[in-house]
PDB file of all heavy atoms in Angstrom:
ATOM      1  N   MET A   1      64.983 168.392 193.971  1.00  0.00           N
ATOM      2  CA  MET A   1      65.536 167.790 192.781  1.00  0.00           C
ATOM      3  C   MET A   1      67.053 167.661 192.917  1.00  0.00           C
ATOM      4  O   MET A   1      67.733 168.395 193.589  1.00  0.00           O
ATOM      5  CB  MET A   1      65.215 168.686 191.573  1.00  0.00           C
ATOM      6  CG  MET A   1      65.572 168.057 190.218  1.00  0.00           C
ATOM      7  SD  MET A   1      64.723 168.892 188.828  1.00  0.00           S
ATOM      8  CE  MET A   1      65.699 170.381 188.704  1.00  0.00           C
ATOM      9  N   LEU A   2      67.561 166.622 192.223  1.00  0.00           N
ATOM     10  CA  LEU A   2      68.984 166.402 192.122  1.00  0.00           C
ATOM     11  C   LEU A   2      69.351 166.392 190.669  1.00  0.00           C
ATOM     12  O   LEU A   2      68.761 165.683 189.830  1.00  0.00           O
ATOM     13  CB  LEU A   2      69.333 165.019 192.772  1.00  0.00           C
ATOM     14  CG  LEU A   2      70.780 164.550 192.672  1.00  0.00           C
ATOM     15  CD1 LEU A   2      71.694 165.491 193.472  1.00  0.00           C
ATOM     16  CD2 LEU A   2      70.902 163.113 193.204  1.00  0.00           C
ATOM     17  N   ILE A   3      70.344 167.210 190.333  1.00  0.00           N
ATOM     18  CA  ILE A   3      70.863 167.261 188.944  1.00  0.00           C
ATOM     19  C   ILE A   3      72.201 166.555 188.882  1.00  0.00           C
ATOM     20  O   ILE A   3      73.137 166.876 189.610  1.00  0.00           O
ATOM     21  CB  ILE A   3      71.012 168.707 188.478  1.00  0.00           C
ATOM     22  CG1 ILE A   3      69.632 169.428 188.442  1.00  0.00           C
ATOM     23  CG2 ILE A   3      71.666 168.797 187.096  1.00  0.00           C
ATOM     24  CD1 ILE A   3      69.698 170.870 188.026  1.00  0.00           C
ATOM     25  N   ILE A   4      72.291 165.572 187.957  1.00  0.00           N
ATOM     26  CA  ILE A   4      73.558 164.863 187.778  1.00  0.00           C
ATOM     27  C   ILE A   4      73.949 165.038 186.313  1.00  0.00           C
ATOM     28  O   ILE A   4      73.318 164.483 185.421  1.00  0.00           O
ATOM     29  CB  ILE A   4      73.376 163.361 188.073  1.00  0.00           C
ATOM     30  CG1 ILE A   4      72.844 163.126 189.475  1.00  0.00           C
ATOM     31  CG2 ILE A   4      74.707 162.626 187.856  1.00  0.00           C
ATOM     32  CD1 ILE A   4      73.837 163.422 190.566  1.00  0.00           C
ATOM     33  N   PRO A   5      75.018 165.804 186.037  1.00  0.00           N
ATOM     34  CA  PRO A   5      75.479 165.884 184.644  1.00  0.00           C
ATOM     35  C   PRO A   5      75.897 164.488 184.150  1.00  0.00           C
ATOM     36  O   PRO A   5      76.432 163.697 184.882  1.00  0.00           O
ATOM     37  CB  PRO A   5      76.663 166.816 184.722  1.00  0.00           C
ATOM     38  CG  PRO A   5      76.482 167.568 185.983  1.00  0.00           C
ATOM     39  CD  PRO A   5      75.799 166.598 186.927  1.00  0.00           C
ATOM     40  N   ARG A   6      75.632 164.218 182.875  1.00  0.00           N
ATOM     41  CA  ARG A   6      75.946 162.955 182.307  1.00  0.00           C
ATOM     42  C   ARG A   6      77.149 163.043 181.379  1.00  0.00           C
ATOM     43  O   ARG A   6      77.589 164.141 181.004  1.00  0.00           O
ATOM     44  CB  ARG A   6      74.719 162.381 181.544  1.00  0.00           C
ATOM     45  CG  ARG A   6      73.543 162.023 182.448  1.00  0.00           C
ATOM     46  CD  ARG A   6      73.874 160.987 183.475  1.00  0.00           C
ATOM     47  NE  ARG A   6      74.381 159.793 182.837  1.00  0.00           N
ATOM     48  CZ  ARG A   6      73.617 158.747 182.494  1.00  0.00           C
ATOM     49  NH1 ARG A   6      72.312 158.781 182.761  1.00  0.00           N
ATOM     50  NH2 ARG A   6      74.115 157.722 181.906  1.00  0.00           N
ATOM     51  N   GLU A   7      77.622 161.914 180.966  1.00  0.00           N
ATOM     52  CA  GLU A   7      78.794 161.826 180.072  1.00  0.00           C
ATOM     53  C   GLU A   7      78.425 162.461 178.740  1.00  0.00           C
ATOM     54  O   GLU A   7      77.255 162.569 178.368  1.00  0.00           O
ATOM     55  CB  GLU A   7      79.208 160.358 179.875  1.00  0.00           C
ATOM     56  CG  GLU A   7      78.128 159.476 179.211  1.00  0.00           C
ATOM     57  CD  GLU A   7      77.088 158.909 180.148  1.00  0.00           C
ATOM     58  OE1 GLU A   7      76.928 159.409 181.264  1.00  0.00           O
ATOM     59  OE2 GLU A   7      76.467 157.937 179.752  1.00  0.00           O
ATOM     60  N   GLY A   8      79.420 162.926 178.029  1.00  0.00           N
ATOM     61  CA  GLY A   8      79.261 163.502 176.681  1.00  0.00           C
ATOM     62  C   GLY A   8      79.198 164.984 176.636  1.00  0.00           C
ATOM     63  O   GLY A   8      79.248 165.571 175.562  1.00  0.00           O
ATOM     64  N   GLY A   9      79.013 165.653 177.760  1.00  0.00           N
ATOM     65  CA  GLY A   9      79.036 167.114 177.823  1.00  0.00           C
ATOM     66  C   GLY A   9      77.726 167.828 177.625  1.00  0.00           C
ATOM     67  O   GLY A   9      77.686 169.041 177.819  1.00  0.00           O
ATOM     68  N   TYR A  10      76.672 167.089 177.268  1.00  0.00           N
ATOM     69  CA  TYR A  10      75.393 167.775 176.964  1.00  0.00           C
ATOM     70  C   TYR A  10      74.178 167.212 177.750  1.00  0.00           C
ATOM     71  O   TYR A  10      73.257 167.925 178.037  1.00  0.00           O
ATOM     72  CB  TYR A  10      75.076 167.677 175.441  1.00  0.00           C
ATOM     73  CG  TYR A  10      76.153 168.282 174.575  1.00  0.00           C
ATOM     74  CD1 TYR A  10      77.150 167.506 173.983  1.00  0.00           C
ATOM     75  CD2 TYR A  10      76.201 169.644 174.398  1.00  0.00           C
ATOM     76  CE1 TYR A  10      78.115 168.078 173.191  1.00  0.00           C
ATOM     77  CE2 TYR A  10      77.192 170.269 173.610  1.00  0.00           C
ATOM     78  CZ  TYR A  10      78.164 169.442 173.028  1.00  0.00           C
ATOM     79  OH  TYR A  10      79.136 170.011 172.239  1.00  0.00           O
ATOM     80  N   MET A  11      74.189 165.953 178.068  1.00  0.00           N
ATOM     81  CA  MET A  11      73.048 165.330 178.703  1.00  0.00           C
ATOM     82  C   MET A  11      73.162 165.456 180.222  1.00  0.00           C
ATOM     83  O   MET A  11      74.243 165.487 180.759  1.00  0.00           O
ATOM     84  CB  MET A  11      73.014 163.817 178.328  1.00  0.00           C
ATOM     85  CG  MET A  11      71.716 163.136 178.736  1.00  0.00           C
ATOM     86  SD  MET A  11      71.448 161.537 177.866  1.00  0.00           S
ATOM     87  CE  MET A  11      72.849 160.602 178.526  1.00  0.00           C
ATOM     88  N   VAL A  12      71.995 165.550 180.861  1.00  0.00           N
ATOM     89  CA  VAL A  12      71.928 165.606 182.314  1.00  0.00           C
ATOM     90  C   VAL A  12      70.822 164.641 182.804  1.00  0.00           C
ATOM     91  O   VAL A  12      69.895 164.322 182.067  1.00  0.00           O
ATOM     92  CB  VAL A  12      71.608 167.025 182.868  1.00  0.00           C
ATOM     93  CG1 VAL A  12      72.741 167.982 182.507  1.00  0.00           C
ATOM     94  CG2 VAL A  12      70.279 167.507 182.379  1.00  0.00           C
ATOM     95  N   ARG A  13      71.020 164.148 184.026  1.00  0.00           N
ATOM     96  CA  ARG A  13      69.979 163.344 184.676  1.00  0.00           C
ATOM     97  C   ARG A  13      69.297 164.185 185.740  1.00  0.00           C
ATOM     98  O   ARG A  13      69.941 164.864 186.546  1.00  0.00           O
ATOM     99  CB  ARG A  13      70.568 162.054 185.293  1.00  0.00           C
ATOM    100  CG  ARG A  13      69.561 161.301 186.158  1.00  0.00           C
ATOM    101  CD  ARG A  13      70.019 159.882 186.440  1.00  0.00           C
ATOM    102  NE  ARG A  13      69.941 159.066 185.250  1.00  0.00           N
ATOM    103  CZ  ARG A  13      70.070 157.746 185.228  1.00  0.00           C
ATOM    104  NH1 ARG A  13      70.311 157.085 186.364  1.00  0.00           N
ATOM    105  NH2 ARG A  13      69.981 157.057 184.134  1.00  0.00           N
ATOM    106  N   LEU A  14      67.975 164.154 185.745  1.00  0.00           N
ATOM    107  CA  LEU A  14      67.173 164.859 186.765  1.00  0.00           C
ATOM    108  C   LEU A  14      66.463 163.871 187.628  1.00  0.00           C
ATOM    109  O   LEU A  14      65.681 163.042 187.131  1.00  0.00           O
ATOM    110  CB  LEU A  14      66.161 165.788 186.045  1.00  0.00           C
ATOM    111  CG  LEU A  14      66.665 166.752 184.995  1.00  0.00           C
ATOM    112  CD1 LEU A  14      65.540 167.569 184.399  1.00  0.00           C
ATOM    113  CD2 LEU A  14      67.728 167.669 185.587  1.00  0.00           C
ATOM    114  N   TYR A  15      66.681 163.916 188.930  1.00  0.00           N
ATOM    115  CA  TYR A  15      65.874 163.194 189.914  1.00  0.00           C
ATOM    116  C   TYR A  15      64.887 164.198 190.506  1.00  0.00           C
ATOM    117  O   TYR A  15      65.265 165.174 191.096  1.00  0.00           O
ATOM    118  CB  TYR A  15      66.742 162.605 191.023  1.00  0.00           C
ATOM    119  CG  TYR A  15      67.585 161.421 190.631  1.00  0.00           C
ATOM    120  CD1 TYR A  15      68.928 161.548 190.387  1.00  0.00           C
ATOM    121  CD2 TYR A  15      66.986 160.180 190.483  1.00  0.00           C
ATOM    122  CE1 TYR A  15      69.707 160.465 190.051  1.00  0.00           C
ATOM    123  CE2 TYR A  15      67.763 159.067 190.150  1.00  0.00           C
ATOM    124  CZ  TYR A  15      69.129 159.209 189.909  1.00  0.00           C
ATOM    125  OH  TYR A  15      69.854 158.122 189.553  1.00  0.00           O
ATOM    126  N   ILE A  16      63.586 163.933 190.292  1.00  0.00           N
ATOM    127  CA  ILE A  16      62.531 164.906 190.594  1.00  0.00           C
ATOM    128  C   ILE A  16      61.576 164.301 191.635  1.00  0.00           C
ATOM    129  O   ILE A  16      61.008 163.223 191.416  1.00  0.00           O
ATOM    130  CB  ILE A  16      61.765 165.300 189.299  1.00  0.00           C
ATOM    131  CG1 ILE A  16      62.743 165.806 188.220  1.00  0.00           C
ATOM    132  CG2 ILE A  16      60.674 166.310 189.596  1.00  0.00           C
ATOM    133  CD1 ILE A  16      62.180 165.719 186.864  1.00  0.00           C
ATOM    134  N   GLU A  17      61.399 165.063 192.684  1.00  0.00           N
ATOM    135  CA  GLU A  17      60.513 164.597 193.763  1.00  0.00           C
ATOM    136  C   GLU A  17      59.028 164.689 193.293  1.00  0.00           C
ATOM    137  O   GLU A  17      58.623 165.733 192.746  1.00  0.00           O
ATOM    138  CB  GLU A  17      60.703 165.427 195.021  1.00  0.00           C
ATOM    139  CG  GLU A  17      59.809 164.994 196.189  1.00  0.00           C
ATOM    140  CD  GLU A  17      59.964 165.875 197.389  1.00  0.00           C
ATOM    141  OE1 GLU A  17      60.450 167.014 197.245  1.00  0.00           O
ATOM    142  OE2 GLU A  17      59.608 165.396 198.507  1.00  0.00           O
ATOM    143  N   LEU A  18      58.299 163.620 193.529  1.00  0.00           N
ATOM    144  CA  LEU A  18      56.849 163.610 193.234  1.00  0.00           C
ATOM    145  C   LEU A  18      56.132 163.625 194.574  1.00  0.00           C
ATOM    146  O   LEU A  18      56.695 163.855 195.625  1.00  0.00           O
ATOM    147  CB  LEU A  18      56.503 162.350 192.420  1.00  0.00           C
ATOM    148  CG  LEU A  18      57.283 162.229 191.095  1.00  0.00           C
ATOM    149  CD1 LEU A  18      56.885 160.954 190.382  1.00  0.00           C
ATOM    150  CD2 LEU A  18      57.019 163.415 190.192  1.00  0.00           C
ATOM    151  N   ASP A  19      54.842 163.387 194.569  1.00  0.00           N
ATOM    152  CA  ASP A  19      54.028 163.509 195.776  1.00  0.00           C
ATOM    153  C   ASP A  19      54.344 162.380 196.766  1.00  0.00           C
ATOM    154  O   ASP A  19      54.684 161.264 196.383  1.00  0.00           O
ATOM    155  CB  ASP A  19      52.564 163.452 195.408  1.00  0.00           C
ATOM    156  CG  ASP A  19      52.131 164.665 194.578  1.00  0.00           C
ATOM    157  OD1 ASP A  19      52.824 165.715 194.735  1.00  0.00           O
ATOM    158  OD2 ASP A  19      51.185 164.514 193.791  1.00  0.00           O
ATOM    159  N   LYS A  20      54.168 162.693 198.058  1.00  0.00           N
ATOM    160  CA  LYS A  20      54.233 161.670 199.060  1.00  0.00           C
ATOM    161  C   LYS A  20      53.101 160.682 198.872  1.00  0.00           C
ATOM    162  O   LYS A  20      52.002 161.026 198.399  1.00  0.00           O
ATOM    163  CB  LYS A  20      54.079 162.339 200.485  1.00  0.00           C
ATOM    164  CG  LYS A  20      55.281 163.203 200.881  1.00  0.00           C
ATOM    165  CD  LYS A  20      56.226 162.325 201.695  1.00  0.00           C
ATOM    166  CE  LYS A  20      57.291 163.196 202.400  1.00  0.00           C
ATOM    167  NZ  LYS A  20      57.974 164.192 201.627  1.00  0.00           N
ATOM    168  N   LEU A  21      53.367 159.435 199.206  1.00  0.00           N
ATOM    169  CA  LEU A  21      52.339 158.410 199.058  1.00  0.00           C
ATOM    170  C   LEU A  21      51.740 158.055 200.443  1.00  0.00           C
ATOM    171  O   LEU A  21      52.423 158.171 201.455  1.00  0.00           O
ATOM    172  CB  LEU A  21      52.974 157.142 198.466  1.00  0.00           C
ATOM    173  CG  LEU A  21      53.653 157.294 197.094  1.00  0.00           C
ATOM    174  CD1 LEU A  21      54.341 155.987 196.692  1.00  0.00           C
ATOM    175  CD2 LEU A  21      52.613 157.734 196.022  1.00  0.00           C
ATOM    176  N   GLN A  22      50.503 157.649 200.428  1.00  0.00           N
ATOM    177  CA  GLN A  22      49.866 157.211 201.651  1.00  0.00           C
ATOM    178  C   GLN A  22      50.345 155.813 201.984  1.00  0.00           C
ATOM    179  O   GLN A  22      50.928 155.099 201.144  1.00  0.00           O
ATOM    180  CB  GLN A  22      48.331 157.223 201.476  1.00  0.00           C
ATOM    181  CG  GLN A  22      47.757 158.596 201.129  1.00  0.00           C
ATOM    182  CD  GLN A  22      48.064 159.646 202.227  1.00  0.00           C
ATOM    183  OE1 GLN A  22      47.959 159.331 203.398  1.00  0.00           O
ATOM    184  NE2 GLN A  22      48.460 160.863 201.790  1.00  0.00           N
ATOM    185  N   GLU A  23      50.113 155.382 203.227  1.00  0.00           N
ATOM    186  CA  GLU A  23      50.529 154.017 203.647  1.00  0.00           C
ATOM    187  C   GLU A  23      49.914 152.972 202.724  1.00  0.00           C
ATOM    188  O   GLU A  23      48.703 153.007 202.408  1.00  0.00           O
ATOM    189  CB  GLU A  23      50.092 153.774 205.062  1.00  0.00           C
ATOM    190  CG  GLU A  23      50.619 152.465 205.661  1.00  0.00           C
ATOM    191  CD  GLU A  23      50.305 152.282 207.107  1.00  0.00           C
ATOM    192  OE1 GLU A  23      49.708 153.235 207.696  1.00  0.00           O
ATOM    193  OE2 GLU A  23      50.613 151.218 207.637  1.00  0.00           O
ATOM    194  N   ASN A  24      50.748 152.065 202.253  1.00  0.00           N
ATOM    195  CA  ASN A  24      50.370 150.971 201.367  1.00  0.00           C
ATOM    196  C   ASN A  24      49.920 151.443 199.953  1.00  0.00           C
ATOM    197  O   ASN A  24      49.420 150.633 199.162  1.00  0.00           O
ATOM    198  CB  ASN A  24      49.224 150.123 201.959  1.00  0.00           C
ATOM    199  CG  ASN A  24      49.663 149.480 203.264  1.00  0.00           C
ATOM    200  OD1 ASN A  24      50.808 149.007 203.380  1.00  0.00           O
ATOM    201  ND2 ASN A  24      48.759 149.412 204.222  1.00  0.00           N
ATOM    202  N   GLN A  25      50.128 152.753 199.670  1.00  0.00           N
ATOM    203  CA  GLN A  25      49.810 153.221 198.338  1.00  0.00           C
ATOM    204  C   GLN A  25      50.951 153.036 197.367  1.00  0.00           C
ATOM    205  O   GLN A  25      52.124 153.197 197.742  1.00  0.00           O
ATOM    206  CB  GLN A  25      49.428 154.711 198.428  1.00  0.00           C
ATOM    207  CG  GLN A  25      49.067 155.366 197.063  1.00  0.00           C
ATOM    208  CD  GLN A  25      48.885 156.870 197.142  1.00  0.00           C
ATOM    209  OE1 GLN A  25      49.106 157.446 198.195  1.00  0.00           O
ATOM    210  NE2 GLN A  25      48.512 157.477 196.054  1.00  0.00           N
ATOM    211  N   ARG A  26      50.687 152.649 196.169  1.00  0.00           N
ATOM    212  CA  ARG A  26      51.697 152.557 195.107  1.00  0.00           C
ATOM    213  C   ARG A  26      51.457 153.644 194.102  1.00  0.00           C
ATOM    214  O   ARG A  26      50.347 154.050 193.855  1.00  0.00           O
ATOM    215  CB  ARG A  26      51.657 151.162 194.423  1.00  0.00           C
ATOM    216  CG  ARG A  26      51.854 149.981 195.366  1.00  0.00           C
ATOM    217  CD  ARG A  26      53.168 150.033 196.084  1.00  0.00           C
ATOM    218  NE  ARG A  26      54.317 150.049 195.180  1.00  0.00           N
ATOM    219  CZ  ARG A  26      54.900 148.901 194.738  1.00  0.00           C
ATOM    220  NH1 ARG A  26      54.441 147.732 195.124  1.00  0.00           N
ATOM    221  NH2 ARG A  26      55.915 148.989 193.917  1.00  0.00           N
ATOM    222  N   ILE A  27      52.553 154.057 193.474  1.00  0.00           N
ATOM    223  CA  ILE A  27      52.399 155.149 192.476  1.00  0.00           C
ATOM    224  C   ILE A  27      51.676 154.657 191.254  1.00  0.00           C
ATOM    225  O   ILE A  27      51.814 153.507 190.806  1.00  0.00           O
ATOM    226  CB  ILE A  27      53.805 155.687 192.105  1.00  0.00           C
ATOM    227  CG1 ILE A  27      53.702 156.937 191.260  1.00  0.00           C
ATOM    228  CG2 ILE A  27      54.630 154.610 191.335  1.00  0.00           C
ATOM    229  CD1 ILE A  27      55.020 157.645 191.089  1.00  0.00           C
ATOM    230  N   SER A  28      50.832 155.497 190.693  1.00  0.00           N
ATOM    231  CA  SER A  28      50.134 155.207 189.477  1.00  0.00           C
ATOM    232  C   SER A  28      50.988 155.627 188.295  1.00  0.00           C
ATOM    233  O   SER A  28      51.064 156.812 187.949  1.00  0.00           O
ATOM    234  CB  SER A  28      48.779 155.943 189.411  1.00  0.00           C
ATOM    235  OG  SER A  28      48.194 155.757 188.151  1.00  0.00           O
ATOM    236  N   ARG A  29      51.688 154.720 187.733  1.00  0.00           N
ATOM    237  CA  ARG A  29      52.662 155.018 186.690  1.00  0.00           C
ATOM    238  C   ARG A  29      51.962 155.561 185.430  1.00  0.00           C
ATOM    239  O   ARG A  29      52.586 156.311 184.682  1.00  0.00           O
ATOM    240  CB  ARG A  29      53.496 153.794 186.363  1.00  0.00           C
ATOM    241  CG  ARG A  29      54.339 153.301 187.540  1.00  0.00           C
ATOM    242  CD  ARG A  29      55.151 152.058 187.242  1.00  0.00           C
ATOM    243  NE  ARG A  29      55.786 151.574 188.447  1.00  0.00           N
ATOM    244  CZ  ARG A  29      56.984 151.996 188.901  1.00  0.00           C
ATOM    245  NH1 ARG A  29      57.630 152.904 188.228  1.00  0.00           N
ATOM    246  NH2 ARG A  29      57.503 151.502 189.987  1.00  0.00           N
ATOM    247  N   ASP A  30      50.727 155.173 185.202  1.00  0.00           N
ATOM    248  CA  ASP A  30      50.023 155.700 184.056  1.00  0.00           C
ATOM    249  C   ASP A  30      49.749 157.195 184.143  1.00  0.00           C
ATOM    250  O   ASP A  30      49.566 157.853 183.158  1.00  0.00           O
ATOM    251  CB  ASP A  30      48.678 154.945 183.866  1.00  0.00           C
ATOM    252  CG  ASP A  30      48.886 153.477 183.521  1.00  0.00           C
ATOM    253  OD1 ASP A  30      50.024 153.137 183.030  1.00  0.00           O
ATOM    254  OD2 ASP A  30      47.971 152.683 183.738  1.00  0.00           O
ATOM    255  N   SER A  31      49.713 157.681 185.363  1.00  0.00           N
ATOM    256  CA  SER A  31      49.429 159.120 185.542  1.00  0.00           C
ATOM    257  C   SER A  31      50.649 159.990 185.440  1.00  0.00           C
ATOM    258  O   SER A  31      50.552 161.227 185.418  1.00  0.00           O
ATOM    259  CB  SER A  31      48.780 159.350 186.926  1.00  0.00           C
ATOM    260  OG  SER A  31      49.708 159.072 187.963  1.00  0.00           O
ATOM    261  N   VAL A  32      51.838 159.404 185.392  1.00  0.00           N
ATOM    262  CA  VAL A  32      53.067 160.178 185.268  1.00  0.00           C
ATOM    263  C   VAL A  32      53.657 160.001 183.861  1.00  0.00           C
ATOM    264  O   VAL A  32      53.825 158.865 183.399  1.00  0.00           O
ATOM    265  CB  VAL A  32      54.097 159.686 186.310  1.00  0.00           C
ATOM    266  CG1 VAL A  32      55.366 160.524 186.179  1.00  0.00           C
ATOM    267  CG2 VAL A  32      53.543 159.844 187.730  1.00  0.00           C
ATOM    268  N   THR A  33      53.921 161.125 183.249  1.00  0.00           N
ATOM    269  CA  THR A  33      54.488 161.078 181.895  1.00  0.00           C
ATOM    270  C   THR A  33      55.790 161.887 181.936  1.00  0.00           C
ATOM    271  O   THR A  33      56.088 162.586 182.893  1.00  0.00           O
ATOM    272  CB  THR A  33      53.530 161.740 180.878  1.00  0.00           C
ATOM    273  OG1 THR A  33      53.343 163.122 181.236  1.00  0.00           O
ATOM    274  CG2 THR A  33      52.165 161.027 180.883  1.00  0.00           C
ATOM    275  N   ALA A  34      56.525 161.837 180.826  1.00  0.00           N
ATOM    276  CA  ALA A  34      57.741 162.643 180.704  1.00  0.00           C
ATOM    277  C   ALA A  34      57.427 164.108 180.781  1.00  0.00           C
ATOM    278  O   ALA A  34      58.115 164.883 181.438  1.00  0.00           O
ATOM    279  CB  ALA A  34      58.476 162.318 179.406  1.00  0.00           C
ATOM    280  N   ASP A  35      56.330 164.536 180.180  1.00  0.00           N
ATOM    281  CA  ASP A  35      55.951 165.937 180.248  1.00  0.00           C
ATOM    282  C   ASP A  35      55.589 166.354 181.675  1.00  0.00           C
ATOM    283  O   ASP A  35      55.881 167.500 182.093  1.00  0.00           O
ATOM    284  CB  ASP A  35      54.705 166.181 179.316  1.00  0.00           C
ATOM    285  CG  ASP A  35      55.075 166.111 177.851  1.00  0.00           C
ATOM    286  OD1 ASP A  35      56.272 166.270 177.507  1.00  0.00           O
ATOM    287  OD2 ASP A  35      54.167 165.884 177.041  1.00  0.00           O
ATOM    288  N   TYR A  36      55.000 165.443 182.437  1.00  0.00           N
ATOM    289  CA  TYR A  36      54.678 165.719 183.825  1.00  0.00           C
ATOM    290  C   TYR A  36      55.967 166.001 184.604  1.00  0.00           C
ATOM    291  O   TYR A  36      56.025 166.953 185.436  1.00  0.00           O
ATOM    292  CB  TYR A  36      53.929 164.509 184.403  1.00  0.00           C
ATOM    293  CG  TYR A  36      53.511 164.648 185.851  1.00  0.00           C
ATOM    294  CD1 TYR A  36      52.228 165.102 186.205  1.00  0.00           C
ATOM    295  CD2 TYR A  36      54.436 164.312 186.872  1.00  0.00           C
ATOM    296  CE1 TYR A  36      51.885 165.182 187.540  1.00  0.00           C
ATOM    297  CE2 TYR A  36      54.054 164.401 188.211  1.00  0.00           C
ATOM    298  CZ  TYR A  36      52.754 164.851 188.529  1.00  0.00           C
ATOM    299  OH  TYR A  36      52.389 164.954 189.865  1.00  0.00           O
ATOM    300  N   LEU A  37      56.986 165.180 184.379  1.00  0.00           N
ATOM    301  CA  LEU A  37      58.248 165.351 185.080  1.00  0.00           C
ATOM    302  C   LEU A  37      58.952 166.647 184.648  1.00  0.00           C
ATOM    303  O   LEU A  37      59.538 167.348 185.492  1.00  0.00           O
ATOM    304  CB  LEU A  37      59.178 164.158 184.804  1.00  0.00           C
ATOM    305  CG  LEU A  37      58.699 162.783 185.322  1.00  0.00           C
ATOM    306  CD1 LEU A  37      59.696 161.716 184.951  1.00  0.00           C
ATOM    307  CD2 LEU A  37      58.483 162.819 186.831  1.00  0.00           C
ATOM    308  N   ILE A  38      58.876 166.957 183.398  1.00  0.00           N
ATOM    309  CA  ILE A  38      59.524 168.203 182.893  1.00  0.00           C
ATOM    310  C   ILE A  38      58.835 169.421 183.531  1.00  0.00           C
ATOM    311  O   ILE A  38      59.525 170.368 184.001  1.00  0.00           O
ATOM    312  CB  ILE A  38      59.422 168.285 181.339  1.00  0.00           C
ATOM    313  CG1 ILE A  38      60.291 167.154 180.739  1.00  0.00           C
ATOM    314  CG2 ILE A  38      59.856 169.654 180.861  1.00  0.00           C
ATOM    315  CD1 ILE A  38      60.079 166.954 179.252  1.00  0.00           C
TER     316      ILE A  38
END
């Protein structure tokens, strides 16, 4: 994960690693939610 503090003093950005994809596989966006990332 990469944490980037954001402007304003309170907000942060989180870059979160998800699963590796197989060749020619695309991520199923419907299966990923904000709660999943948290």
Side-chain angles (χ1 to χ4, degrees):
M1 189 163 76
L2 176 65
I3 297 178
I4 304 288
R6 294 299 303 266
E7 64 276 19
Y10 300 99
M11 189 163 66
V12 296
R13 172 164 289 191
L14 307 179
Y15 286 104
I16 304 160
E17 182 182 20
L18 303 177
D19 295 332
K20 290 266 193 312
L21 301 175
Q22 300 300 318
E23 186 175 357
N24 298 322
Q25 180 187 4
R26 301 301 299 272
I27 190 169
S28 175
R29 297 177 187 274
D30 293 339
S31 66
V32 179
T33 64
D35 288 339
Y36 180 95
L37 297 179
I38 292 168

